[in-house]
Amino acid sequence: MDIKNFPKVTIILRGYNYKQAKTVMKALAESSIKSVEITMNTEGALEAISKLSSEFGHTMNIGAGTVTTLDQAKAAIKAGAKFILSPVMLSKEIIDLCKENSVISVPGAMSPTEIYKSFEDGADIVKVFPAISCGIKYFKDVKAPLGNIPLMAVGGVSNENAREFLDNGADFLGIGSGIFNKEDILNKNLEGLIKSIKEFEEKIY
């Protein structure tokens, strides 16, 4: 996948089973949001990535989150993940593996040094985490000396501040609990999920 085609918003699903995740995918089908991350610390994550990729992969990007080891990265890519995200810096070996398989790599970082090192190692996008702790204006501040590097805000992004992150230098957003009513996911409430997505889209577009 080319970074130019990577969606601006990625939905993060952590701790939800396959059927719950599938309901979210159905809710997103009619929206502009075309990227979903299944975190690797979710029970059955690889199976969910595999099933969702076969069912929705033609229109959606399904990736793996909370990837920290080479073995996890290999397993996620084998399951069909189109992108790899991490809360921490990824080894160059993992980033190289992603490149070899045309998978987008999004390591986590917090300091300018970590961000710079990740791009030096070949990362496609760097996830600033936890973004809310760094501050909304952090993205512009980092880009001032480092240039217009592609950064993703993750951690504390919500309906209320998503547009502000984008207006202050974040190129991409990763958002989980800040967009949905958790009960709607747990109860597979499709109508409720669709309503939440529409409300979010109205605020950021």
PDB file of all heavy atoms in Angstrom, residues 59-87:
ATOM      1  N   THR A  59     -12.497  -3.283   0.265  1.00  0.00           N
ATOM      2  CA  THR A  59     -12.897  -1.880   0.423  1.00  0.00           C
ATOM      3  C   THR A  59     -12.301  -1.215   1.667  1.00  0.00           C
ATOM      4  O   THR A  59     -12.317   0.007   1.782  1.00  0.00           O
ATOM      5  CB  THR A  59     -14.424  -1.755   0.516  1.00  0.00           C
ATOM      6  OG1 THR A  59     -14.888  -2.583   1.593  1.00  0.00           O
ATOM      7  CG2 THR A  59     -15.092  -2.188  -0.773  1.00  0.00           C
ATOM      8  N   MET A  60     -11.776  -2.021   2.590  1.00  0.00           N
ATOM      9  CA  MET A  60     -11.250  -1.494   3.847  1.00  0.00           C
ATOM     10  C   MET A  60      -9.811  -1.945   4.063  1.00  0.00           C
ATOM     11  O   MET A  60      -9.392  -2.994   3.559  1.00  0.00           O
ATOM     12  CB  MET A  60     -12.094  -1.990   5.031  1.00  0.00           C
ATOM     13  CG  MET A  60     -13.550  -1.612   4.970  1.00  0.00           C
ATOM     14  SD  MET A  60     -13.864   0.102   5.444  1.00  0.00           S
ATOM     15  CE  MET A  60     -13.531   0.035   7.194  1.00  0.00           C
ATOM     16  N   ASN A  61      -9.066  -1.154   4.817  1.00  0.00           N
ATOM     17  CA  ASN A  61      -7.712  -1.531   5.214  1.00  0.00           C
ATOM     18  C   ASN A  61      -7.763  -2.084   6.636  1.00  0.00           C
ATOM     19  O   ASN A  61      -8.131  -1.359   7.558  1.00  0.00           O
ATOM     20  CB  ASN A  61      -6.776  -0.321   5.167  1.00  0.00           C
ATOM     21  CG  ASN A  61      -6.637   0.225   3.764  1.00  0.00           C
ATOM     22  OD1 ASN A  61      -6.100  -0.425   2.882  1.00  0.00           O
ATOM     23  ND2 ASN A  61      -7.141   1.428   3.533  1.00  0.00           N
ATOM     24  N   ILE A  62      -7.407  -3.348   6.792  1.00  0.00           N
ATOM     25  CA  ILE A  62      -7.396  -3.960   8.121  1.00  0.00           C
ATOM     26  C   ILE A  62      -5.944  -4.178   8.531  1.00  0.00           C
ATOM     27  O   ILE A  62      -5.146  -4.753   7.783  1.00  0.00           O
ATOM     28  CB  ILE A  62      -8.169  -5.300   8.139  1.00  0.00           C
ATOM     29  CG1 ILE A  62      -9.656  -5.055   7.894  1.00  0.00           C
ATOM     30  CG2 ILE A  62      -8.031  -5.985   9.497  1.00  0.00           C
ATOM     31  CD1 ILE A  62     -10.121  -5.366   6.532  1.00  0.00           C
ATOM     32  N   GLY A  63      -5.606  -3.675   9.716  1.00  0.00           N
ATOM     33  CA  GLY A  63      -4.228  -3.784  10.184  1.00  0.00           C
ATOM     34  C   GLY A  63      -4.139  -4.316  11.592  1.00  0.00           C
ATOM     35  O   GLY A  63      -5.153  -4.608  12.240  1.00  0.00           O
ATOM     36  N   ALA A  64      -2.912  -4.454  12.075  1.00  0.00           N
ATOM     37  CA  ALA A  64      -2.646  -4.967  13.416  1.00  0.00           C
ATOM     38  C   ALA A  64      -2.040  -3.873  14.272  1.00  0.00           C
ATOM     39  O   ALA A  64      -1.128  -3.162  13.840  1.00  0.00           O
ATOM     40  CB  ALA A  64      -1.690  -6.163  13.349  1.00  0.00           C
ATOM     41  N   GLY A  65      -2.557  -3.741  15.495  1.00  0.00           N
ATOM     42  CA  GLY A  65      -2.022  -2.765  16.431  1.00  0.00           C
ATOM     43  C   GLY A  65      -1.344  -3.432  17.612  1.00  0.00           C
ATOM     44  O   GLY A  65      -1.412  -4.647  17.782  1.00  0.00           O
ATOM     45  N   THR A  66      -0.677  -2.624  18.425  1.00  0.00           N
ATOM     46  CA  THR A  66       0.059  -3.101  19.604  1.00  0.00           C
ATOM     47  C   THR A  66       1.045  -4.195  19.211  1.00  0.00           C
ATOM     48  O   THR A  66       1.209  -5.195  19.919  1.00  0.00           O
ATOM     49  CB  THR A  66      -0.922  -3.583  20.715  1.00  0.00           C
ATOM     50  OG1 THR A  66      -2.025  -2.686  20.792  1.00  0.00           O
ATOM     51  CG2 THR A  66      -0.237  -3.572  22.080  1.00  0.00           C
ATOM     52  N   VAL A  67       1.680  -4.019  18.067  1.00  0.00           N
ATOM     53  CA  VAL A  67       2.727  -4.941  17.615  1.00  0.00           C
ATOM     54  C   VAL A  67       4.061  -4.482  18.205  1.00  0.00           C
ATOM     55  O   VAL A  67       4.444  -3.325  18.037  1.00  0.00           O
ATOM     56  CB  VAL A  67       2.815  -4.974  16.073  1.00  0.00           C
ATOM     57  CG1 VAL A  67       3.985  -5.830  15.613  1.00  0.00           C
ATOM     58  CG2 VAL A  67       1.507  -5.473  15.477  1.00  0.00           C
ATOM     59  N   THR A  68       4.740  -5.378  18.898  1.00  0.00           N
ATOM     60  CA  THR A  68       6.010  -5.002  19.527  1.00  0.00           C
ATOM     61  C   THR A  68       7.169  -5.922  19.160  1.00  0.00           C
ATOM     62  O   THR A  68       8.327  -5.566  19.377  1.00  0.00           O
ATOM     63  CB  THR A  68       5.868  -4.986  21.064  1.00  0.00           C
ATOM     64  OG1 THR A  68       5.412  -6.269  21.503  1.00  0.00           O
ATOM     65  CG2 THR A  68       4.877  -3.913  21.510  1.00  0.00           C
ATOM     66  N   THR A  69       6.885  -7.118  18.622  1.00  0.00           N
ATOM     67  CA  THR A  69       7.953  -8.070  18.309  1.00  0.00           C
ATOM     68  C   THR A  69       7.925  -8.474  16.839  1.00  0.00           C
ATOM     69  O   THR A  69       6.902  -8.346  16.158  1.00  0.00           O
ATOM     70  CB  THR A  69       7.816  -9.354  19.162  1.00  0.00           C
ATOM     71  OG1 THR A  69       6.642 -10.073  18.731  1.00  0.00           O
ATOM     72  CG2 THR A  69       7.700  -9.019  20.646  1.00  0.00           C
ATOM     73  N   LEU A  70       9.048  -9.010  16.377  1.00  0.00           N
ATOM     74  CA  LEU A  70       9.158  -9.479  15.000  1.00  0.00           C
ATOM     75  C   LEU A  70       8.184 -10.629  14.736  1.00  0.00           C
ATOM     76  O   LEU A  70       7.549 -10.683  13.683  1.00  0.00           O
ATOM     77  CB  LEU A  70      10.593  -9.913  14.705  1.00  0.00           C
ATOM     78  CG  LEU A  70      10.881 -10.387  13.272  1.00  0.00           C
ATOM     79  CD1 LEU A  70      10.612  -9.273  12.267  1.00  0.00           C
ATOM     80  CD2 LEU A  70      12.328 -10.882  13.161  1.00  0.00           C
ATOM     81  N   ASP A  71       8.059 -11.529  15.695  1.00  0.00           N
ATOM     82  CA  ASP A  71       7.144 -12.664  15.525  1.00  0.00           C
ATOM     83  C   ASP A  71       5.703 -12.196  15.381  1.00  0.00           C
ATOM     84  O   ASP A  71       4.940 -12.739  14.576  1.00  0.00           O
ATOM     85  CB  ASP A  71       7.266 -13.634  16.711  1.00  0.00           C
ATOM     86  CG  ASP A  71       8.533 -14.472  16.655  1.00  0.00           C
ATOM     87  OD1 ASP A  71       9.153 -14.532  15.565  1.00  0.00           O
ATOM     88  OD2 ASP A  71       8.906 -15.070  17.683  1.00  0.00           O
ATOM     89  N   GLN A  72       5.314 -11.196  16.165  1.00  0.00           N
ATOM     90  CA  GLN A  72       3.961 -10.646  16.052  1.00  0.00           C
ATOM     91  C   GLN A  72       3.744 -10.026  14.675  1.00  0.00           C
ATOM     92  O   GLN A  72       2.693 -10.206  14.056  1.00  0.00           O
ATOM     93  CB  GLN A  72       3.719  -9.585  17.129  1.00  0.00           C
ATOM     94  CG  GLN A  72       3.487 -10.134  18.518  1.00  0.00           C
ATOM     95  CD  GLN A  72       3.273  -9.014  19.531  1.00  0.00           C
ATOM     96  OE1 GLN A  72       3.752  -7.895  19.356  1.00  0.00           O
ATOM     97  NE2 GLN A  72       2.550  -9.317  20.596  1.00  0.00           N
ATOM     98  N   ALA A  73       4.750  -9.290  14.217  1.00  0.00           N
ATOM     99  CA  ALA A  73       4.652  -8.642  12.913  1.00  0.00           C
ATOM    100  C   ALA A  73       4.507  -9.683  11.803  1.00  0.00           C
ATOM    101  O   ALA A  73       3.663  -9.541  10.907  1.00  0.00           O
ATOM    102  CB  ALA A  73       5.870  -7.762  12.663  1.00  0.00           C
ATOM    103  N   LYS A  74       5.310 -10.737  11.861  1.00  0.00           N
ATOM    104  CA  LYS A  74       5.234 -11.802  10.851  1.00  0.00           C
ATOM    105  C   LYS A  74       3.862 -12.451  10.850  1.00  0.00           C
ATOM    106  O   LYS A  74       3.268 -12.697   9.790  1.00  0.00           O
ATOM    107  CB  LYS A  74       6.313 -12.860  11.124  1.00  0.00           C
ATOM    108  CG  LYS A  74       7.732 -12.424  10.779  1.00  0.00           C
ATOM    109  CD  LYS A  74       8.725 -13.526  11.112  1.00  0.00           C
ATOM    110  CE  LYS A  74      10.143 -13.129  10.708  1.00  0.00           C
ATOM    111  NZ  LYS A  74      11.143 -14.175  11.102  1.00  0.00           N
ATOM    112  N   ALA A  75       3.351 -12.749  12.049  1.00  0.00           N
ATOM    113  CA  ALA A  75       2.049 -13.412  12.167  1.00  0.00           C
ATOM    114  C   ALA A  75       0.926 -12.512  11.654  1.00  0.00           C
ATOM    115  O   ALA A  75       0.006 -12.977  10.971  1.00  0.00           O
ATOM    116  CB  ALA A  75       1.795 -13.796  13.618  1.00  0.00           C
ATOM    117  N   ALA A  76       1.011 -11.224  11.960  1.00  0.00           N
ATOM    118  CA  ALA A  76      -0.025 -10.279  11.527  1.00  0.00           C
ATOM    119  C   ALA A  76      -0.030 -10.134  10.010  1.00  0.00           C
ATOM    120  O   ALA A  76      -1.105 -10.123   9.387  1.00  0.00           O
ATOM    121  CB  ALA A  76       0.197  -8.929  12.190  1.00  0.00           C
ATOM    122  N   ILE A  77       1.146 -10.039   9.421  1.00  0.00           N
ATOM    123  CA  ILE A  77       1.250  -9.911   7.964  1.00  0.00           C
ATOM    124  C   ILE A  77       0.740 -11.179   7.286  1.00  0.00           C
ATOM    125  O   ILE A  77       0.010 -11.122   6.287  1.00  0.00           O
ATOM    126  CB  ILE A  77       2.709  -9.593   7.555  1.00  0.00           C
ATOM    127  CG1 ILE A  77       3.083  -8.180   8.025  1.00  0.00           C
ATOM    128  CG2 ILE A  77       2.884  -9.716   6.046  1.00  0.00           C
ATOM    129  CD1 ILE A  77       4.554  -7.851   7.891  1.00  0.00           C
ATOM    130  N   LYS A  78       1.077 -12.320   7.853  1.00  0.00           N
ATOM    131  CA  LYS A  78       0.599 -13.597   7.312  1.00  0.00           C
ATOM    132  C   LYS A  78      -0.927 -13.679   7.371  1.00  0.00           C
ATOM    133  O   LYS A  78      -1.578 -14.243   6.484  1.00  0.00           O
ATOM    134  CB  LYS A  78       1.213 -14.763   8.092  1.00  0.00           C
ATOM    135  CG  LYS A  78       0.911 -16.126   7.496  1.00  0.00           C
ATOM    136  CD  LYS A  78       1.634 -17.230   8.264  1.00  0.00           C
ATOM    137  CE  LYS A  78       1.324 -18.602   7.655  1.00  0.00           C
ATOM    138  NZ  LYS A  78       1.987 -19.701   8.397  1.00  0.00           N
ATOM    139  N   ALA A  79      -1.519 -13.074   8.409  1.00  0.00           N
ATOM    140  CA  ALA A  79      -2.977 -13.084   8.575  1.00  0.00           C
ATOM    141  C   ALA A  79      -3.676 -12.111   7.632  1.00  0.00           C
ATOM    142  O   ALA A  79      -4.894 -12.151   7.484  1.00  0.00           O
ATOM    143  CB  ALA A  79      -3.336 -12.749  10.022  1.00  0.00           C
ATOM    144  N   GLY A  80      -2.889 -11.222   7.016  1.00  0.00           N
ATOM    145  CA  GLY A  80      -3.468 -10.296   6.047  1.00  0.00           C
ATOM    146  C   GLY A  80      -3.430  -8.830   6.414  1.00  0.00           C
ATOM    147  O   GLY A  80      -4.033  -7.994   5.734  1.00  0.00           O
ATOM    148  N   ALA A  81      -2.728  -8.479   7.486  1.00  0.00           N
ATOM    149  CA  ALA A  81      -2.653  -7.079   7.909  1.00  0.00           C
ATOM    150  C   ALA A  81      -2.008  -6.212   6.828  1.00  0.00           C
ATOM    151  O   ALA A  81      -0.961  -6.570   6.295  1.00  0.00           O
ATOM    152  CB  ALA A  81      -1.868  -6.965   9.208  1.00  0.00           C
ATOM    153  N   LYS A  82      -2.650  -5.084   6.536  1.00  0.00           N
ATOM    154  CA  LYS A  82      -2.126  -4.154   5.532  1.00  0.00           C
ATOM    155  C   LYS A  82      -1.250  -3.070   6.156  1.00  0.00           C
ATOM    156  O   LYS A  82      -0.557  -2.347   5.450  1.00  0.00           O
ATOM    157  CB  LYS A  82      -3.272  -3.488   4.769  1.00  0.00           C
ATOM    158  CG  LYS A  82      -4.136  -4.454   3.987  1.00  0.00           C
ATOM    159  CD  LYS A  82      -3.348  -5.193   2.937  1.00  0.00           C
ATOM    160  CE  LYS A  82      -4.245  -6.122   2.130  1.00  0.00           C
ATOM    161  NZ  LYS A  82      -3.464  -7.119   1.370  1.00  0.00           N
ATOM    162  N   PHE A  83      -1.323  -2.951   7.483  1.00  0.00           N
ATOM    163  CA  PHE A  83      -0.466  -1.998   8.178  1.00  0.00           C
ATOM    164  C   PHE A  83      -0.189  -2.523   9.586  1.00  0.00           C
ATOM    165  O   PHE A  83      -0.944  -3.332  10.130  1.00  0.00           O
ATOM    166  CB  PHE A  83      -1.080  -0.593   8.216  1.00  0.00           C
ATOM    167  CG  PHE A  83      -2.445  -0.521   8.858  1.00  0.00           C
ATOM    168  CD1 PHE A  83      -2.579  -0.258  10.215  1.00  0.00           C
ATOM    169  CD2 PHE A  83      -3.599  -0.697   8.108  1.00  0.00           C
ATOM    170  CE1 PHE A  83      -3.835  -0.177  10.807  1.00  0.00           C
ATOM    171  CE2 PHE A  83      -4.860  -0.619   8.688  1.00  0.00           C
ATOM    172  CZ  PHE A  83      -4.979  -0.360  10.037  1.00  0.00           C
ATOM    173  N   ILE A  84       0.904  -2.050  10.152  1.00  0.00           N
ATOM    174  CA  ILE A  84       1.346  -2.452  11.487  1.00  0.00           C
ATOM    175  C   ILE A  84       1.521  -1.195  12.322  1.00  0.00           C
ATOM    176  O   ILE A  84       2.244  -0.274  11.928  1.00  0.00           O
ATOM    177  CB  ILE A  84       2.709  -3.191  11.417  1.00  0.00           C
ATOM    178  CG1 ILE A  84       2.593  -4.489  10.621  1.00  0.00           C
ATOM    179  CG2 ILE A  84       3.271  -3.442  12.807  1.00  0.00           C
ATOM    180  CD1 ILE A  84       1.854  -5.596  11.295  1.00  0.00           C
ATOM    181  N   LEU A  85       0.862  -1.143  13.477  1.00  0.00           N
ATOM    182  CA  LEU A  85       1.038  -0.034  14.405  1.00  0.00           C
ATOM    183  C   LEU A  85       1.607  -0.540  15.719  1.00  0.00           C
ATOM    184  O   LEU A  85       1.392  -1.687  16.100  1.00  0.00           O
ATOM    185  CB  LEU A  85      -0.292   0.670  14.692  1.00  0.00           C
ATOM    186  CG  LEU A  85      -0.795   1.622  13.624  1.00  0.00           C
ATOM    187  CD1 LEU A  85      -1.779   0.924  12.710  1.00  0.00           C
ATOM    188  CD2 LEU A  85      -1.465   2.826  14.265  1.00  0.00           C
ATOM    189  N   SER A  86       2.308   0.342  16.400  1.00  0.00           N
ATOM    190  CA  SER A  86       2.880  -0.029  17.691  1.00  0.00           C
ATOM    191  C   SER A  86       2.824   1.164  18.644  1.00  0.00           C
ATOM    192  O   SER A  86       2.878   2.312  18.213  1.00  0.00           O
ATOM    193  CB  SER A  86       4.344  -0.469  17.516  1.00  0.00           C
ATOM    194  OG  SER A  86       4.912  -0.828  18.761  1.00  0.00           O
ATOM    195  N   PRO A  87       2.742   0.890  19.947  1.00  0.00           N
ATOM    196  CA  PRO A  87       2.817   1.980  20.914  1.00  0.00           C
ATOM    197  C   PRO A  87       4.260   2.401  21.181  1.00  0.00           C
ATOM    198  O   PRO A  87       4.506   3.396  21.848  1.00  0.00           O
ATOM    199  CB  PRO A  87       2.179   1.370  22.168  1.00  0.00           C
ATOM    200  CG  PRO A  87       2.466  -0.090  22.045  1.00  0.00           C
ATOM    201  CD  PRO A  87       2.426  -0.403  20.582  1.00  0.00           C
TER     202      PRO A  87
END
